[in-house]
Amino acid sequence: GESVGLHLPTLSVQEGDNSIINCAYSNSASDYFIWYKQESGKGPQFIIDIRSNMDKRQGQRVTVLLNKTVKHLSLQIAATQPGDSAVYFCAEVRETSGSRLTFGEGTQLTVNP
Amino acid sequence: DVKVTQSSRYLVKRTGEKVFLECVQDMDHENMFWYRQDPGLGLRLIYFSYDVKMKEKGDIPEGYSVSREKKERFSLILESASTNQTSMYLCASSFGGQGLYGYTFGSGTRLTVV
């Protein structure tokens, strides 16, 4: 069936290093992808999104890469800071199915000082 | 600042009680969603609504119902709470227009059923 999943449940990095969080999706008809960040005790927050007709999008310290050939999505965080420690979720949507998002299970990012 | 507000951060209820979880958004969003979040299971959709008085079942609707009498308010109801409904409950809303799919989430309600 359709799924959106993350390769690793946990990722530990040193402060200042770059982080890469990966996500695989199975539905080639997905039109739109979003990355969310969830800090402990809070609801998920939107980070960055990308449409399926793009392969890269950059934000402030974050870059999302989309490889449709292998159905893979990644979130790159530059110069990772302690405040980046959180669970990161990818989500996908197919416009023909309305605006309902399908979420992956999440990766726990821990930034070590 | 736009917001999705969930009425309680922490809630403890007894088995068999009827429980109401309230969610209010101030963004005039069309769509509203209720998820539960459990370790190792991610976010699972319980119910959603694309309009006032409209509701649709998500992936795990059993044991739950919802009410959307006003556009800004979406209530989740546990008809008879059970211990397996102990979880973090997240409400979200979205505009619903073409290309506007991003959800805004509330802070969550951690419900414990004893």
Side-chain angles (χ1 to χ4, degrees), chain A residues 28-43:
Chain A
S28 58
S30 297
D31 299 298
Y32 182 75
F33 301 88
I34 306 175
W35 280 100
Y36 284 90
K37 172 187 179 183
Q38 186 176 22
E39 296 175 88
S40 181
K42 297 182 180 180

PDB file of all heavy atoms in Angstrom, chain A residues 28-43:
ATOM      1  N   SER A  28       4.138   7.227  -6.528  1.00  0.00           N
ATOM      2  CA  SER A  28       4.743   8.056  -7.570  1.00  0.00           C
ATOM      3  C   SER A  28       3.807   9.186  -8.002  1.00  0.00           C
ATOM      4  O   SER A  28       4.237  10.106  -8.703  1.00  0.00           O
ATOM      5  CB  SER A  28       5.118   7.196  -8.777  1.00  0.00           C
ATOM      6  OG  SER A  28       3.969   6.538  -9.280  1.00  0.00           O
ATOM      7  N   ALA A  29       2.544   9.143  -7.590  1.00  0.00           N
ATOM      8  CA  ALA A  29       1.591  10.192  -7.955  1.00  0.00           C
ATOM      9  C   ALA A  29       1.576  11.337  -6.955  1.00  0.00           C
ATOM     10  O   ALA A  29       0.795  12.275  -7.107  1.00  0.00           O
ATOM     11  CB  ALA A  29       0.183   9.604  -8.068  1.00  0.00           C
ATOM     12  N   SER A  30       2.424  11.291  -5.945  1.00  0.00           N
ATOM     13  CA  SER A  30       2.467  12.378  -4.970  1.00  0.00           C
ATOM     14  C   SER A  30       2.851  13.682  -5.642  1.00  0.00           C
ATOM     15  O   SER A  30       3.768  13.729  -6.464  1.00  0.00           O
ATOM     16  CB  SER A  30       3.477  12.054  -3.864  1.00  0.00           C
ATOM     17  OG  SER A  30       3.072  10.903  -3.157  1.00  0.00           O
ATOM     18  N   ASP A  31       2.129  14.754  -5.274  1.00  0.00           N
ATOM     19  CA  ASP A  31       2.326  16.050  -5.929  1.00  0.00           C
ATOM     20  C   ASP A  31       3.135  17.031  -5.108  1.00  0.00           C
ATOM     21  O   ASP A  31       3.678  18.005  -5.650  1.00  0.00           O
ATOM     22  CB  ASP A  31       0.947  16.688  -6.203  1.00  0.00           C
ATOM     23  CG  ASP A  31       0.101  15.850  -7.125  1.00  0.00           C
ATOM     24  OD1 ASP A  31       0.534  15.654  -8.277  1.00  0.00           O
ATOM     25  OD2 ASP A  31      -0.977  15.397  -6.695  1.00  0.00           O
ATOM     26  N   TYR A  32       3.210  16.775  -3.836  1.00  0.00           N
ATOM     27  CA  TYR A  32       3.678  17.840  -2.948  1.00  0.00           C
ATOM     28  C   TYR A  32       4.198  17.189  -1.688  1.00  0.00           C
ATOM     29  O   TYR A  32       3.594  16.238  -1.177  1.00  0.00           O
ATOM     30  CB  TYR A  32       2.464  18.733  -2.658  1.00  0.00           C
ATOM     31  CG  TYR A  32       2.680  19.934  -1.806  1.00  0.00           C
ATOM     32  CD1 TYR A  32       3.319  21.069  -2.282  1.00  0.00           C
ATOM     33  CD2 TYR A  32       2.167  19.960  -0.517  1.00  0.00           C
ATOM     34  CE1 TYR A  32       3.467  22.190  -1.495  1.00  0.00           C
ATOM     35  CE2 TYR A  32       2.312  21.074   0.281  1.00  0.00           C
ATOM     36  CZ  TYR A  32       2.955  22.196  -0.222  1.00  0.00           C
ATOM     37  OH  TYR A  32       3.089  23.307   0.554  1.00  0.00           O
ATOM     38  N   PHE A  33       5.305  17.715  -1.172  1.00  0.00           N
ATOM     39  CA  PHE A  33       5.930  17.141   0.023  1.00  0.00           C
ATOM     40  C   PHE A  33       6.237  18.253   1.013  1.00  0.00           C
ATOM     41  O   PHE A  33       6.574  19.381   0.626  1.00  0.00           O
ATOM     42  CB  PHE A  33       7.231  16.428  -0.369  1.00  0.00           C
ATOM     43  CG  PHE A  33       7.037  15.330  -1.367  1.00  0.00           C
ATOM     44  CD1 PHE A  33       7.054  15.596  -2.722  1.00  0.00           C
ATOM     45  CD2 PHE A  33       6.818  14.031  -0.944  1.00  0.00           C
ATOM     46  CE1 PHE A  33       6.861  14.590  -3.657  1.00  0.00           C
ATOM     47  CE2 PHE A  33       6.630  13.012  -1.865  1.00  0.00           C
ATOM     48  CZ  PHE A  33       6.648  13.297  -3.215  1.00  0.00           C
ATOM     49  N   ILE A  34       6.121  17.897   2.290  1.00  0.00           N
ATOM     50  CA  ILE A  34       6.364  18.878   3.346  1.00  0.00           C
ATOM     51  C   ILE A  34       7.228  18.235   4.420  1.00  0.00           C
ATOM     52  O   ILE A  34       7.077  17.041   4.714  1.00  0.00           O
ATOM     53  CB  ILE A  34       5.041  19.337   4.002  1.00  0.00           C
ATOM     54  CG1 ILE A  34       4.057  19.858   2.958  1.00  0.00           C
ATOM     55  CG2 ILE A  34       5.303  20.418   5.051  1.00  0.00           C
ATOM     56  CD1 ILE A  34       2.690  20.206   3.544  1.00  0.00           C
ATOM     57  N   TRP A  35       8.108  19.017   5.000  1.00  0.00           N
ATOM     58  CA  TRP A  35       8.858  18.603   6.184  1.00  0.00           C
ATOM     59  C   TRP A  35       8.335  19.377   7.385  1.00  0.00           C
ATOM     60  O   TRP A  35       8.148  20.596   7.326  1.00  0.00           O
ATOM     61  CB  TRP A  35      10.349  18.878   6.016  1.00  0.00           C
ATOM     62  CG  TRP A  35      11.064  17.850   5.202  1.00  0.00           C
ATOM     63  CD1 TRP A  35      11.412  17.938   3.891  1.00  0.00           C
ATOM     64  CD2 TRP A  35      11.526  16.564   5.657  1.00  0.00           C
ATOM     65  NE1 TRP A  35      12.061  16.793   3.487  1.00  0.00           N
ATOM     66  CE2 TRP A  35      12.144  15.936   4.551  1.00  0.00           C
ATOM     67  CE3 TRP A  35      11.477  15.893   6.879  1.00  0.00           C
ATOM     68  CZ2 TRP A  35      12.708  14.667   4.636  1.00  0.00           C
ATOM     69  CZ3 TRP A  35      12.032  14.627   6.959  1.00  0.00           C
ATOM     70  CH2 TRP A  35      12.634  14.029   5.851  1.00  0.00           C
ATOM     71  N   TYR A  36       8.129  18.628   8.488  1.00  0.00           N
ATOM     72  CA  TYR A  36       7.698  19.214   9.748  1.00  0.00           C
ATOM     73  C   TYR A  36       8.741  18.917  10.821  1.00  0.00           C
ATOM     74  O   TYR A  36       9.406  17.886  10.796  1.00  0.00           O
ATOM     75  CB  TYR A  36       6.359  18.627  10.203  1.00  0.00           C
ATOM     76  CG  TYR A  36       5.166  19.150   9.455  1.00  0.00           C
ATOM     77  CD1 TYR A  36       4.719  18.524   8.300  1.00  0.00           C
ATOM     78  CD2 TYR A  36       4.485  20.278   9.902  1.00  0.00           C
ATOM     79  CE1 TYR A  36       3.620  19.005   7.606  1.00  0.00           C
ATOM     80  CE2 TYR A  36       3.387  20.767   9.217  1.00  0.00           C
ATOM     81  CZ  TYR A  36       2.958  20.123   8.070  1.00  0.00           C
ATOM     82  OH  TYR A  36       1.882  20.606   7.390  1.00  0.00           O
ATOM     83  N   LYS A  37       8.807  19.834  11.794  1.00  0.00           N
ATOM     84  CA  LYS A  37       9.669  19.672  12.950  1.00  0.00           C
ATOM     85  C   LYS A  37       8.787  19.653  14.192  1.00  0.00           C
ATOM     86  O   LYS A  37       7.925  20.516  14.345  1.00  0.00           O
ATOM     87  CB  LYS A  37      10.650  20.852  13.033  1.00  0.00           C
ATOM     88  CG  LYS A  37      11.482  20.918  14.301  1.00  0.00           C
ATOM     89  CD  LYS A  37      12.287  22.217  14.330  1.00  0.00           C
ATOM     90  CE  LYS A  37      13.124  22.327  15.594  1.00  0.00           C
ATOM     91  NZ  LYS A  37      13.861  23.628  15.653  1.00  0.00           N
ATOM     92  N   GLN A  38       9.005  18.676  15.074  1.00  0.00           N
ATOM     93  CA  GLN A  38       8.243  18.611  16.314  1.00  0.00           C
ATOM     94  C   GLN A  38       9.188  18.587  17.492  1.00  0.00           C
ATOM     95  O   GLN A  38       9.894  17.609  17.727  1.00  0.00           O
ATOM     96  CB  GLN A  38       7.322  17.384  16.335  1.00  0.00           C
ATOM     97  CG  GLN A  38       6.411  17.363  17.545  1.00  0.00           C
ATOM     98  CD  GLN A  38       5.444  16.198  17.520  1.00  0.00           C
ATOM     99  OE1 GLN A  38       5.668  15.197  16.858  1.00  0.00           O
ATOM    100  NE2 GLN A  38       4.331  16.318  18.250  1.00  0.00           N
ATOM    101  N   GLU A  39       9.184  19.656  18.260  1.00  0.00           N
ATOM    102  CA  GLU A  39       9.970  19.724  19.487  1.00  0.00           C
ATOM    103  C   GLU A  39       9.186  19.054  20.607  1.00  0.00           C
ATOM    104  O   GLU A  39       7.961  18.941  20.554  1.00  0.00           O
ATOM    105  CB  GLU A  39      10.279  21.169  19.822  1.00  0.00           C
ATOM    106  CG  GLU A  39      11.152  21.844  18.766  1.00  0.00           C
ATOM    107  CD  GLU A  39      11.353  23.311  19.047  1.00  0.00           C
ATOM    108  OE1 GLU A  39      12.310  23.649  19.776  1.00  0.00           O
ATOM    109  OE2 GLU A  39      10.568  24.125  18.542  1.00  0.00           O
ATOM    110  N   SER A  40       9.906  18.647  21.616  1.00  0.00           N
ATOM    111  CA  SER A  40       9.299  17.914  22.719  1.00  0.00           C
ATOM    112  C   SER A  40       8.165  18.714  23.351  1.00  0.00           C
ATOM    113  O   SER A  40       8.330  19.881  23.701  1.00  0.00           O
ATOM    114  CB  SER A  40      10.376  17.607  23.764  1.00  0.00           C
ATOM    115  OG  SER A  40       9.829  16.888  24.833  1.00  0.00           O
ATOM    116  N   GLY A  41       7.005  18.089  23.461  1.00  0.00           N
ATOM    117  CA  GLY A  41       5.863  18.721  24.103  1.00  0.00           C
ATOM    118  C   GLY A  41       5.109  19.704  23.244  1.00  0.00           C
ATOM    119  O   GLY A  41       4.188  20.377  23.725  1.00  0.00           O
ATOM    120  N   LYS A  42       5.465  19.785  21.970  1.00  0.00           N
ATOM    121  CA  LYS A  42       4.800  20.737  21.080  1.00  0.00           C
ATOM    122  C   LYS A  42       4.220  20.011  19.867  1.00  0.00           C
ATOM    123  O   LYS A  42       4.579  18.879  19.582  1.00  0.00           O
ATOM    124  CB  LYS A  42       5.786  21.803  20.611  1.00  0.00           C
ATOM    125  CG  LYS A  42       6.348  22.673  21.715  1.00  0.00           C
ATOM    126  CD  LYS A  42       7.275  23.733  21.150  1.00  0.00           C
ATOM    127  CE  LYS A  42       7.841  24.611  22.241  1.00  0.00           C
ATOM    128  NZ  LYS A  42       8.758  25.656  21.698  1.00  0.00           N
ATOM    129  N   GLY A  43       3.348  20.710  19.159  1.00  0.00           N
ATOM    130  CA  GLY A  43       2.836  20.168  17.912  1.00  0.00           C
ATOM    131  C   GLY A  43       3.830  20.358  16.787  1.00  0.00           C
ATOM    132  O   GLY A  43       4.739  21.184  16.878  1.00  0.00           O
TER     133      GLY A  43
END
